[in-house]
Structure formats: C-alpha cells, structure tokens
Amino acid sequence: MYLHSLVRTAGGEKMSKSKGTGLDPVALNQQYGTDAMRFCLASMAAPGTDIVLSDDRLASARNFANKIWNASRFLFVNLDKFEQGGTSLDELRHRKFRTKAPYASGEGLARIDGWLFSRLAETISSVNEALQNYRFHEAAQSVYQFFLGRFSAIGTSSG
C-alpha cells in the first residue's frame, strides 16, 4: 500500500498503539473485509489530508464491495447459463462468433450499451491517469462513481 496519510479515530485522535487509540487491523478485516478496508483507506487518502477512520466509512466501503460482488455473481450465473447453451467465454472473443451473435454489434449497438461503454472507457482512462500519478483516492472515486452512478443505475432505471 502506498499511502502517506495520518490515520485518525472517528473522534479525530491520532491512532497510536501506545495511547491505546489504535485499531486492530486484523479485527477490522474480519469485520468489514480486506477489500472494504483497502477501498476505504484508498478512497480517503488524498495527499496532505488525514484519514478519519470510522465504522460508518468502513461499513459503507463494505457495502460497496458487496454490491460489486453481487453484480459479479449475477453476471457469472448468467454467463454459466449462456455457456450451458454450448458457447464458452473464450469463443466470445473471436470475431467469427461475434458476427453470429443474437444481438446488435458495431454500428447497431444498442444506445444504452454504447452509452455504458463510452462511460466505461472514460472511467478506465481516469483511473489509469490517477494511478499513474499516485492519486489513489481519485482512482477509487472514479470506480465508485462509475459503478454506482452508471453501471448499477442501468438495472434500476425505468427506461
């Protein structure tokens, strides 16, 4: 991890083992999950600022990680159903298969798909730039905004 922020308690005190204000990272990882802990710290690690670590922020990061997990499970369950129909994921990469796909591609791409792919491309570019400049909080926020504001919103929109 490449973070240089000072981590403080929810009350604003500097975390310190000697003062007894430190938190047990193993216990936090068990309670919230390692991915949630990493995301929470990275998303708040703007250069020159302190990280105020609280149960609310960790719970929010855990909820975000769970949302990604659930969306991934949904995709993989449906991919498994697709593969049971006789097509593997590897075959989807080949142009020969894509030209026979039962959905529009290329110029005929559905408007919502084109919109989502363009937002994904913007997000990838933004995340790559942020990571190259060691601005992990910006990368984390870009992922968060794309996933909750774009990707997850499609399934919940009314049309």
Side-chain angles (χ1 to χ4, degrees):
M1 206 38 133
Y2 184 87
L3 303 175
H4 291 285
S5 300
L6 180 64
V7 180
R8 296 186 177 275
T9 66
E13 295 179 78
K14 176 183 173 187
M15 285 197 185
S16 166
K17 282 195 311 187
S18 61
K19 290 182 179 180
T21 57
L23 297 175
D24 180 4
V26 174
L28 290 175
N29 283 336
Q30 289 172 344
Q31 183 176 359
Y32 296 105
T34 304
D35 292 333
M37 178 76 128
R38 289 177 181 148
F39 183 82
C40 184
L41 291 171
S43 68
M44 295 187 301
T49 63
D50 294 345
I51 294 173
V52 178
L53 197 59
S54 68
D55 284 325
D56 288 345
R57 288 188 172 158
L58 287 165
S60 178
R62 180 193 57 211
N63 293 343
F64 179 62
N66 286 343
K67 200 166 199 47
I68 292 174
W69 171 257
N70 289 332
S72 299
R73 283 186 54 220
F74 175 80
L75 291 172
F76 283 115
V77 163
N78 286 296
L79 180 60
D80 287 344
K81 290 178 186 175
F82 183 76
E83 288 178 337
Q84 288 171 4
T87 304
S88 71
L89 183 58
D90 287 334
E91 288 177 286
L92 293 176
R93 290 185 290 149
H94 299 290
R95 179 179 294 280
K96 179 176 81 174
F97 180 80
R98 289 195 314 261
T99 58
K100 295 187 288 183
Y103 51 84
S105 62
E107 293 295 320
L109 189 64
R111 185 178 222 171
I112 189 72
D113 293 335
W115 175 84
L116 182 61
F117 288 139
S118 72
R119 296 311 179 272
L120 176 60
E122 290 171 3
T123 302
I124 290 169
S125 176
S126 172
V127 168
N128 285 339
E129 183 179 338
L131 291 175
Q132 287 171 355
N133 293 306
Y134 302 99
R135 303 203 46 97
F136 303 110
H137 66 292
E138 290 176 8
Q141 289 303 315
S142 291
V143 169
Y144 184 87
Q145 292 302 320
F146 172 78
F147 193 81
L148 289 183
R150 307 286 197 261
F151 181 75
S152 294
I154 290 174
T156 59
S157 68
S158 58

